[in-house]
Amino acid sequence: MFFERHGGGERTILVHLDGQDPEAREDPQEFQELAISAGAETVAFVNVPRHRPTAKYLIGSGKVEELRDQVKAEKVDLVIFNSVLTPSQERNLERVFECRVIDRTGLILDIFAQRARTHEGKLQVELAQLDYMSTRLVRGWTHLERQKGGIGLRGPGETQLETDRRLLRVRLRQIKGRLEKVRSQRDQARRGRQRADIPSVSLVGYTNAGKSTLFNSVTDSDVFAADQLFATLDPTLRRLELADLGPIVLADTVGFIRHLPHKLVEAFRATLEESSNSDLLLHVIDAHEPERMAQIEQVMAVLGEIGAQDLPILEVYNKLDLLEGVEPQIQRDADGKPQRVWLSARDGQGLDLLKQAIAELLGDDLFVGTLRLPQRFARLRAQFFALGAVQKEEHDEEGICLLAVRLPRVELNRLVSREGMQPLEFIEQHTLQ
């Protein structure tokens, strides 16, 4: 019987392998949530205790036979393994089950393909998919493998396979070239923000921790937010004015997950670099999640992969509305700096505390005082008003403007140097009564 790749479908059996190694073990509940996010109609969840994986099927042949009977009885279209399968294991299992088989990586890639909205996001997903498929191309042409010799058995199978591989390599080069342009555009925009001394803050965290809901609440945006895994793929940036600091740029990024496939980390590197180049990371944590400590470890592991583990981090414990007896608050370290904020993005509780904590962490070198500006510096005065840095304005007997301002000292120095003067020489810090 010739083997051909079976068509897709939604009726699904989930196969979870309960291994002995706690580091390699996946979360069965998270696996089911991933399947729901992908749109699967789960007809059975099979827990397979295993001690030693097999090279042919990953699981034992007896369990494979049981699953085959269940697939036929339930008329299943797809079997998903909560583990990583080799191409040969997928092929062997599909031969037995006579339906599609994918692993955890393939499932996550499918969710990403559904969620991508922007051109960049679609390119990144396609890059990860093609990279993943490059070792699995042979499966689609297995029905030609027997056409190798003899009368009536010669055919173009190998030629077709090589053609597909060549086209795939060409497409991979094209996508990488386009993403390189995206990366250079991001770098240019980032350099522009740095020249303007506008701090950048990125939301990071485990998938479904509430990052997009928090982003919408803080910035009054309408980024897609849902109670599902990987609701956000495409990064969104918004300018946010903080009363005690001035303007910042807030970025909403893709969520992380336990054992995030390395191919996805590579494909989304241009997006994740937005986090690695930030002045501050807001690590959003689901305060109601029992496995939150394990999720925190996974987020820190991914941050390590993209070189962002040493950046300043403010922990944001979200979903306070699901807890009893916990009030919105700022918890500080021994030096009095904000370390974590407890809030509810859905109800808006504690958002003012979050803004206060961000301003404190980014405003270490904050200038608070009154500037004495002669009339010839009217343009400088207008720039302070444009930045929203002016808290009070008065004039003395000589008609000189006295501006009570609050802004980062770097921003003050930048504005003053544009006027060709030194801050301490030509601008007198003066206290208003």
Side-chain angles (χ1 to χ4, degrees):
M1 174 180 165
F2 298 133
F3 168 76
E4 294 188 28
R5 198 76 202 271
H6 295 272
E10 307 300 334
R11 289 180 61 79
T12 307
I13 288 180
L14 304 181
V15 181
H16 173 69
L17 282 70
D18 195 1
Q20 299 298 310
D21 183 5
E23 288 298 318
R25 185 178 180 274
E26 304 292 356
D27 182 358
Q29 181 180 351
E30 183 177 87
F31 179 36
Q32 295 180 70
E33 290 175 1
L34 282 169
I36 292 170
S37 297
E41 179 191 339
T42 304
V43 297
F45 183 90
V46 180
N47 190 48
V48 180
R50 62 156 183 161
H51 300 279
R52 184 177 299 170
T54 64
K56 187 173 183 180
Y57 297 122
L58 184 66
I59 58 178
S61 55
K63 181 59 72 173
V64 169
E65 296 300 321
E66 289 180 26
L67 282 171
R68 183 193 62 183
D69 295 340
Q70 195 169 1
V71 165
K72 290 183 177 179
E74 300 286 352
K75 297 181 179 178
V76 167
D77 307 303
L78 176 67
V79 177
I80 306 176
F81 278 72
N82 193 19
S83 184
V84 177
L85 297 171
T86 65
S88 61
Q89 287 170 344
E90 282 192 20
R91 181 173 67 247
N92 294 336
L93 289 166
E94 286 187 350
R95 278 198 177 111
V96 176
F97 297 157
E98 296 182 2
C99 74
R100 289 261 293 168
V101 175
I102 64 173
D103 61 4
R104 178 184 173 86
T105 302
L107 175 61
I108 294 176
L109 283 172
D110 182 81
I111 296 172
F112 272 52
Q114 293 181 48
R115 300 284 190 270
R117 294 290 181 269
T118 64
H119 179 61
E120 176 195 352
K122 291 175 182 177
L123 283 177
Q124 290 175 133
V125 172
E126 187 180 356
L127 174 63
Q129 284 182 321
L130 291 177
D131 196 20
Y132 175 74
M133 288 166 51
S134 60
T135 56
R136 289 162 165 77
L137 269 181
V138 66
R139 298 182 307 176
W141 297 100
T142 313
H143 62 293
L144 299 174
E145 284 180 351
R146 294 176 61 176
Q147 301 181 12
K148 293 179 180 176
I151 297 173
L153 290 178
R154 298 184 181 91
E158 190 67 16
T159 304
Q160 179 64 62
L161 181 58
E162 287 303 316
T163 301
D164 280 1
R165 284 176 174 161
R166 178 175 53 80
L167 293 174
L168 185 142
R169 287 194 297 269
V170 170
R171 181 61 180 159
L172 280 173
R173 282 197 300 271
Q174 289 175 342
I175 294 175
K176 286 178 180 177
R178 292 180 184 178
L179 287 176
E180 195 58 41
K181 289 183 181 178
V182 171
R183 177 178 295 186
S184 64
Q185 289 168 355
R186 285 188 181 280
D187 287 341
Q188 187 176 4
R190 201 177 293 122
R191 286 194 298 270
R193 294 198 297 270
Q194 289 171 350
R195 282 195 299 271
D197 290 322
I198 299 178
S200 61
V201 179
S202 290
L203 295 171
V204 298
Y206 209 77
T207 180
N208 205 29
K211 294 184 297 300
S212 295
T213 304
L214 178 61
F215 183 84
N216 288 337
S217 299
V218 172
T219 62
D220 293 326
S221 301
D222 56 354
V223 170
F224 177 69
D227 186 16
Q228 58 186 22
L229 303 185
F230 299 117
T232 302
L233 280 193
D234 305 308
T236 308
L237 281 70
R238 292 287 186 275
R239 185 184 175 102
L240 177 64
E241 293 285 341
L242 295 182
D244 292 336
L245 184 67
I248 67 168
V249 171
L250 186 64
D252 185 20
T253 59
V254 62
F256 303 152
I257 196 169
R258 182 177 173 85
H259 298 155
L260 185 68
H262 188 70
K263 290 180 175 62
L264 284 175
V265 177
E266 284 298 315
F268 279 76
R269 187 163 295 278
T271 299
L272 295 173
E273 278 180 356
E274 199 65 56
S275 301
S276 61
N277 288 280
S278 297
D279 297 292
L280 175 66
L281 298 179
L282 301 185
H283 181 182
V284 183
I285 300 164
D286 184 349
H288 188 253
E289 172 57 51
E291 299 291 327
R292 72 184 185 203
M293 294 310 297
Q295 293 184 355
I296 291 172
E297 290 177 8
Q298 292 304 314
V299 170
M300 296 308 296
V302 178
L303 289 177
E305 284 193 56
I306 62 175
Q309 72 276 16
D310 295 327
L311 292 176
I313 296 178
L314 175 65
E315 294 182 345
V316 181
Y317 281 77
N318 188 26
K319 305 188 181 180
L320 199 63
D321 50 295
L322 301 179
L323 301 177
E324 292 183 4
V326 183
E327 296 295 324
Q329 59 183 295
I330 298 178
Q331 292 181 338
R332 301 175 182 273
D333 60 15
D335 298 324
K337 287 189 174 182
Q339 189 173 23
R340 59 183 63 91
V341 179
W342 293 74
L343 54 77
S344 169
R346 188 175 68 178
D347 295 350
Q349 301 177 56
L351 294 183
D352 52 340
L353 296 178
L354 175 64
K355 293 177 181 179
Q356 177 189 332
I358 294 173
E360 285 186 37
L361 291 172
L362 293 178
D364 283 341
D365 193 14
L366 201 64
F367 176 86
V368 182
T370 302
L371 304 178
R372 190 170 185 271
L373 292 180
Q375 291 183 0
R376 66 180 182 276
F377 295 124
R379 185 172 66 176
L380 183 59
R381 170 187 170 277
Q383 290 174 334
F384 282 124
F385 274 100
L387 285 173
V390 178
Q391 296 184 311
K392 188 177 182 182
E393 180 182 24
E394 289 186 357
H395 292 82
D396 63 11
E397 294 111 357
E398 300 174 8
I400 291 178
C401 176
L402 301 176
L403 280 186
V405 297
R406 184 185 183 105
L407 77 167
R409 191 174 293 275
V410 208
E411 184 76 7
L412 171 67
N413 292 340
R414 182 181 67 83
L415 291 176
V416 170
S417 62
R418 278 184 182 176
E419 299 299 321
M421 57 186 184
Q422 297 298 321
L424 298 179
E425 281 182 40
F426 292 89
I427 296 187
E428 174 188 348
Q429 185 170 337
H430 177 77
T431 305
L432 278 177
Q433 299 300 322

